[in-house]
Amino acid sequence: MGTALRLREVSAGYQREFVVGGVSVDVPAGGWLAIIGPNGAGKSTLLKAIAGLVHYTGEVALDGRPIRELGRKELARSLGYLPQGPLLPEGLTVTDYALLGRTPHLGALATESASDVDIVADALARLDLSELAGRPLRTLSGGERQRAVLARVLAQHTSVLLLDEPTTGLDIGHAQTLLDLVDQLRGEDGTTVVSTLHDLTFAAQYAERIVLLNGGRVVAAGTPADVLTTDALTEYYGARTTLLTAADGSRVVAPIRRR
Ligand code: ADP
Ligand code: MG
């Protein structure tokens, strides 16, 4: 598999202050990279840099082409970005909001076709939102809103998904459904995934590779087993944890209460 996303010495930040420094990483097509790290480590900023939403230096390339060279519409057809805590057009229904994901694919007349409507209905069904399709966003619970935003991103049908804390506000069942769905897209369509994940057990179970950021720098990178060590979690999160192995061999990062 080729490299879908290539970062070379990416530094990014706000105004004149860089809060992410010198990140280099390759994500293969169909791969899943999780970006982890304590609060304020720069995870969201790094995702925003890849999405072209904050100032950055260095290079971000998509299928070998620097994303700086891609037009807005082309970029939106390739990169789907789920922001952390976005402001929503509260008056729109779930369906009308998810249809916004089709905008980069519309022709000159900019009207949705039956196939756009089908794509949105499919995304809503996969996210357990069909019953809420006609509801205004302002009437949704936090977890339902989060899934509505993901429905818009999935309706965009992009080859790369940038997901910033996609399980925020979701109960454990909906979180698993969402991550399983993303993993299914990876398997079926070769979708490439870069996500921040504050839940380290989910990071261990779903990501193929993990980058651990601290103070905007990569302090560890590799497979989940390489990166998720109790020592690293103590050093960078100040956390007391134990690593368990579930019956199926998957890893579980469990917190230990101080006694
Ligand atoms: P994380 O997602 O890892 O919690 P962020 O990338 O959101 O961290 O933030 C990294 C650093 O950048 C933090 O110190 C934060 O205060 C700062 N920061 C985030 N957003 C902005 C902004 N819009 N303007 C200025 N500083 C910001
Ligand atoms: Mg964040």
Side-chain angles (χ1 to χ4, degrees), residues 19-38:
V19 297
V20 168
V23 175
S24 296
V25 64
D26 287 345
V27 190
W32 187 328
L33 173 74
I35 301 167
I36 66 167

Side-chain angles (χ1 to χ4, degrees), residues 6-12 18 23 56-61 66 68:
R6 203 175 104 105
L7 276 63
R8 281 294 170 276
E9 289 296 320
V10 172
S11 298
F18 278 174
V23 175
Y56 69 92
T57 60
E59 187 179 88
V60 180
R68 291 184 200 282

Side-chain angles (χ1 to χ4, degrees), residues 40 42-45 84 164-165 196:
K43 304 178 296 292
S44 293
T45 305
Q84 187 175 16
D164 199 354
E165 306 291 1
T196 66

